[in-house]
Amino acid sequence: MRTMRRALLLPVCVSLAACTTAPTSVGDRPKVSPGDLEQITALLKRDFRPRGQATMDRIELDEVQRLCNLHADNPPADLARPLEEAQLKAIPFPSGNLIGDWKNGEKIAQSGRGAMWSDKPGVQDGGSCYNCHQISPKVAAFGTIGPSLAGYGKTRGNRPEIQRYVYGKIYNSKAYNACSPMPRLGHSKTLNEQQIKDLVGLLLDPASPVNQ
Amino acid sequence: MAGPMKMRATLAGGYTDVRVLMTHPMATEQQTKGQPHFIQNLTVKVNGKTVVEGQISQAISRNPVFSFRLSGGAKGDKIEVSWLDNKGDTNKTETAVA
Amino acid sequence: MRAIMGSAALALAIFPAWAQQSPYADYQRMTAESAPIELFELGGEELWKRKQGPKSVSLEQCDLGQGPGELKGAYAGLPRYFKDADRVMDLETRLLHCMMTLQGRSREDATKRVFGNADSPSEMELLSMYVAGKSHGMPMRPGTSHPKEKATYQLGQKLYFHRAGPWDFSCASCHGEEGKRIRMSELPVLFKPQYARPLMATWPAYRVSTSSVVTLQWRMNDCYRQMRMPEPQFGSDTTVALITFMTVNAEGVPYRGPAIKR
């Protein structure tokens, strides 16, 4: 599909005169300074207003966001590493078995609700997981922004270390990759402990459709 | 007050192509919890003579498009399309065949 | 005329070649034939000519960049810098300006209901469809020479990549990589002209799934909502900067709208 679409863009450019005179690239990410971050944050504070559960504190950058914005999501290792370690230390890993109910996990993964100003807080929030990932091989509507998770538990098993890794990654992806595109579902209080355990179950439980 | 309605009638090889765009919520009983609001009757007149009397139901969705062909027709023929809904509201539009 | 043209011609007029190969091509062709775009343009025309506000004046003398009341090509020339407001404005921001200055309406009154719904499109939505329709077929040439236009573009570029909020999202989180999709939606990489062009040429639009009109100010609002951020104000510098960034990236593309979207 992707190659087909690219091949078709060329004939469009040949027929539209505009394509031959317009710039070929506007450059990707601009360089951003700490002053820029201050300017943007001040602008957002002025231009936005709180609504529902989306309060203005959401505009303040935390140290992860500062680092990633300043370094175009590619910070030097000596800055990224300590941040990852600090994020990892802050994850409240539950004790014991981390594999919850995969059936509930599938519902959470499918749900795109949660944390928006249009959402009632307290009503079952989801992780929007299918927005970016393929998860159960039976589900055709999945995104491709993140890697496919089909067969995840089948190839990795479900011993405690893997359970801990999956739990941690869902709770706070930045603990493993400082500028990961993935939201920090636990850290942002979008999902609670049981919901994350249910997602761990979705990925690791041998009975889960993910591992069939 | 009914929303805008627009019609085009074009002559093409022995017949006239007519397309009417209508504004109407066409809300079903289920959607409105018992207060449906939809067009029930459509009437097409050519030069004052009725040629189509249609009865439509809430199965038709919002902002209906009625597209049909009249055999024959000549430039300047006056076509009028009107509708009546279940609340007694009406609207109509008129155009000359181009 | 658009609703009457043959389905093939209509599809080519509205959709770029690549869209014909996508799974939605047939669907788009079929819905294009019966799209109520003209009805919304008519609604917008009525509002443009209606006397409103304390001054009881219509919008007919509103200057959208081509001179007072001049609509042909106005949308294709936006966003641009306006001396009387000393800022860069997109279509909706400029319409708001005219509502306030020509008609004497307060900001609060004029923005009470900027985004409508299927039962009742908002004034801004209807006016946007009407004005945009007057630029159909013309190359999009937003303002790029004035220093404030350049600064607005650069601000938009920085905002596009700015990660914030509880989910650490920026525009680029979803609109950042070619060939990727979110669920089943292929989202364009809007800082690349080849993707910005087909998309910016199709706003404002009639959205089939909600039977409603959608505009760029609405899109900015709804994106920030889905980014888990608070709500940007209508016509704010933030929204205008982003719209400017994307429109300039699409510069030169013939405007194909108002269009339909699923």
Side-chain angles (χ1 to χ4, degrees):
Chain A
M1 185 65 196
R2 191 198 312 186
T3 46
M4 193 158 68
R5 185 166 73 169
R6 286 228 181 96
L8 283 158
L9 280 167
L10 292 175
V12 173
C13 278
V14 164
S15 59
L16 285 176
C19 289
T20 57
T21 54
T24 49
S25 170
V26 294
D28 290 8
R29 298 187 67 144
K31 274 207 156 29
V32 168
S33 69
D36 287 331
L37 291 189
E38 271 174 43
Q39 181 207 18
I40 291 172
T41 301
L43 174 72
L44 297 179
K45 278 190 186 157
R46 193 196 72 195
D47 283 354
F48 282 63
R49 59 190 160 209
R51 187 165 174 178
Q53 59 174 290
T55 46
M56 294 299 275
D57 55 290
R58 294 186 174 195
I59 290 174
E60 296 291 351
L61 299 179
D62 71 359
E63 29 173 11
V64 164
Q65 293 164 341
R66 271 190 72 81
L67 184 77
C68 300
N69 283 335
L70 285 173
H71 296 275
D73 285 337
N74 196 16
D78 62 321
L79 291 177
R81 201 66 44 78
L83 200 56
E84 287 163 7
E85 282 162 16
Q87 298 282 300
L88 185 62
K89 267 203 191 73
I91 299 177
F93 286 100
S95 52
N97 182 27
L98 298 178
I99 294 183
D101 173 8
W102 67 257
K103 288 199 189 80
N104 200 37
E106 174 70 2
K107 286 197 198 120
I108 294 165
Q110 292 261 12
S111 168
R113 292 203 194 291
M116 296 182 280
W117 54 249
S118 49
D119 291 317
K120 256 198 194 74
V123 178
Q124 166 91 336
D125 290 343
S128 296
C129 314
Y130 275 97
N131 281 3
C132 296
H133 294 281
Q134 178 182 30
I135 307 177
S136 160
K138 291 203 202 104
V139 176
F142 61 86
T144 54
I145 295 178
S148 168
L149 302 172
Y152 193 89
K154 210 160 40 161
T155 50
R156 291 166 184 76
N158 54 18
R159 60 192 194 285
E161 292 87 352
I162 292 288
Q163 291 180 35
R164 189 181 165 86
Y165 171 73
V166 175
Y167 189 95
K169 186 93 173 144
I170 296 171
Y171 191 96
N172 189 335
S173 53
K174 273 71 170 178
Y176 304 88
N177 172 8
C179 296
S180 166
M182 179 164 156
R184 300 174 269 177
L185 281 319
H187 178 88
S188 63
K189 303 218 180 334
T190 305
L191 298 176
N192 61 34
E193 183 183 293
Q194 188 54 53
Q195 289 173 311
I196 300 179
K197 279 183 179 173
D198 291 342
L199 287 173
V200 174
L202 179 66
L203 290 184
L204 297 184
D205 191 330
S208 161
V210 168
N211 299 316
Q212 299 314 309
Chain B
M1 238 252 10
M5 194 165 168
K6 202 153 182 191
M7 170 161 62
R8 287 272 160 55
T10 31
L11 206 51
Y15 52 82
T16 306
D17 263 328
V18 187
R19 183 186 298 264
V20 195
L21 297 172
M22 293 168 262
T23 308
H24 201 282
M26 299 302 289
T28 66
E29 194 143 334
Q30 189 185 49
Q31 287 166 341
T32 59
K33 298 197 194 345
Q35 310 269 340
H37 185 201
F38 57 95
I39 293 173
Q40 283 187 311
N41 300 89
L42 273 179
T43 307
V44 182
K45 291 191 178 147
V46 179
N47 293 329
K49 175 167 152 237
T50 299
V51 296
V52 176
E53 278 272 22
Q55 272 122 47
I56 64 175
S57 72
Q58 54 187 316
I60 305 288
S61 59
R62 180 192 295 278
N63 299 337
V65 175
F66 188 22
S67 172
F68 57 94
R69 210 168 252 188
L70 297 167
S71 60
K75 214 175 169 104
D77 272 351
K78 242 181 47 184
I79 305 197
E80 183 197 277
V81 176
S82 58
W83 57 254
L84 169 69
D85 74 15
N86 69 321
K87 291 193 176 172
D89 259 336
T90 64
N91 199 2
K92 69 169 187 247
T93 189
E94 189 175 281
T95 193
V97 175
Chain C
M1 271 304 147
R2 280 188 293 289
I4 293 301
M5 283 156 60
S7 57
L10 180 64
L12 281 172
I14 292 188
F15 307 110
W18 62 261
Q20 294 180 324
Q21 302 304 315
S22 88
Y24 305 114
D26 284 338
Y27 170 81
Q28 287 174 332
R29 256 192 288 273
M30 292 193 300
T31 45
E33 282 170 19
S34 50
I37 290 170
E38 287 177 76
L39 295 178
F40 297 114
E41 288 175 321
L42 280 174
E45 181 177 11
E46 200 268 319
L47 280 168
W48 180 258
K49 295 177 174 164
R50 187 196 290 180
K51 290 188 167 71
Q52 287 198 82
K55 294 187 183 173
S56 193
V57 164
S58 78
L59 289 170
E60 286 164 292
Q61 286 303 301
C62 183
D63 185 350
L64 294 168
Q66 306 297 320
E70 188 52 62
L71 290 175
K72 192 167 167 71
Y75 183 69
L78 292 168
R80 70 189 295 143
Y81 172 76
F82 286 91
K83 201 159 170 198
D84 58 5
D86 191 29
R87 66 183 284 233
V88 175
M89 295 173 142
D90 70 330
L91 172 63
E92 291 165 87
T93 315
R94 190 65 188 168
L95 286 170
L96 175 61
H97 176 87
C98 286
M99 287 175 182
M100 290 169 64
T101 53
L102 288 179
Q103 298 179 320
R105 296 165 67 179
S106 69
R107 187 178 216 282
E108 207 197 322
D109 172 66
T111 58
K112 201 183 300 186
R113 188 177 176 268
V114 283
F115 305 132
N117 56 36
D119 287 325
S120 171
S122 70
E123 273 190 86
M124 283 297 177
E125 286 160 358
L126 290 171
L127 286 165
S128 297
M129 294 292 265
Y130 172 59
V131 176
K134 300 281 185 189
S135 285
H136 184 82
M138 303 173 67
M140 296 184 80
R141 300 228 182 273
T144 51
S145 52
H146 191 278
K148 285 209 168 178
E149 286 165 351
K150 292 194 216 272
T152 302
Y153 177 87
Q154 277 155 20
L155 175 61
Q157 187 179 35
K158 290 194 186 125
L159 282 166
Y160 192 94
F161 294 98
H162 182 81
R163 297 180 75 176
W167 283 23
D168 316 312
F169 279 168
S170 67
C171 309
S173 298
C174 296
H175 293 276
E177 244 184 291
E178 291 173 63
K180 296 287 173 87
R181 62 170 198 258
I182 176 168
R183 271 282 196 174
M184 299 305 278
S185 298
E186 287 172 12
L187 293 181
V189 176
L190 293 161
F191 53 84
K192 289 191 190 263
Q194 75 208 86
Y195 301 116
R197 283 194 198 106
L199 264 301
M200 299 313 288
T202 56
W203 285 85
Y206 174 68
R207 203 189 199 200
V208 173
S209 55
T210 52
S211 306
S212 59
V213 174
V214 288
T215 65
L216 283 171
Q217 279 288 330
W218 172 84
R219 189 63 257 170
M220 296 302 101
N221 183 298
D222 209 51
C223 277
Y224 273 113
R225 179 182 67 88
Q226 292 174 299
M227 286 156 70
R228 276 66 187 173
M229 288 283 276
E231 189 176 28
Q233 291 208 63
F234 184 87
S236 56
D237 286 345
T238 302
T239 56
V240 173
L242 283 167
I243 292 169
T244 299
F245 175 61
M246 297 185 293
T247 311
V248 170
N249 290 345
E251 188 177 9
V253 67
Y255 180 59
R256 276 197 304 279
I260 61 163
K261 291 185 185 297
R262 70 180 181 108

